[in-house]
């Protein structure tokens, strides 16, 4: 799943085809959404804080928290 640095750059690690990535803040606002196959995500523009990453692949949907410092 996300392997990230604290500045908002991360790579999605998955075992099947990537369908979509969505990142929301703790208020539920979508700050990033993509339907392309790009595994490298840059949300360095985001304010410091915790975010929820939702990754959909052909086999599953997973969510995880990340922190941007």
């Amino acid at each position: 799943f996300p392997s990230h640095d604290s500045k908002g750059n991360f790579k999605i690690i998955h075992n099947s085809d990537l369908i979509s990535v969505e990142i929301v803040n703790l208020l539920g606002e979508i700050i990033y959404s993509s339907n392309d196959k790009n595994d490298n995500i840059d949300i360095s523009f985001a304010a410091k804080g915790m975010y929820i990453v939702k990754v959909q692949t052909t086999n599953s949907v997973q969510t995880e928290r990340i922190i941007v410092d």
Side-chain angles (χ1 to χ4, degrees):
F1 205 76
S3 169
H4 72 288
D5 65 23
S6 62
K7 303 300 180 200
N9 298 299
F10 59 96
K11 180 174 180 71
I12 303 292
I13 299 170
H14 51 89
N15 294 327
S16 57
D17 289 336
L18 185 63
I19 295 174
S20 67
V21 176
E22 186 175 88
I23 302 172
V24 298
N25 63 20
L26 295 182
L27 298 174
E29 301 166 329
I30 298 171
I31 65 152
Y32 179 89
S33 181
S34 176
N35 291 327
D36 65 21
K37 306 268 189 242
N38 186 6
D39 293 346
N40 296 304
I41 310 295
D42 178 6
I43 60 163
S44 57
F45 61 86
K48 294 179 181 181
M50 186 181 310
Y51 295 88
I52 306 297
V53 180
K54 178 180 172 184
V55 175
Q56 182 178 1
T57 67
T58 53
N59 294 334
S60 67
V61 175
Q62 295 182 310
T63 60
E64 188 165 319
R65 288 176 279 172
I66 61 168
I67 296 176
V68 175
D69 290 335

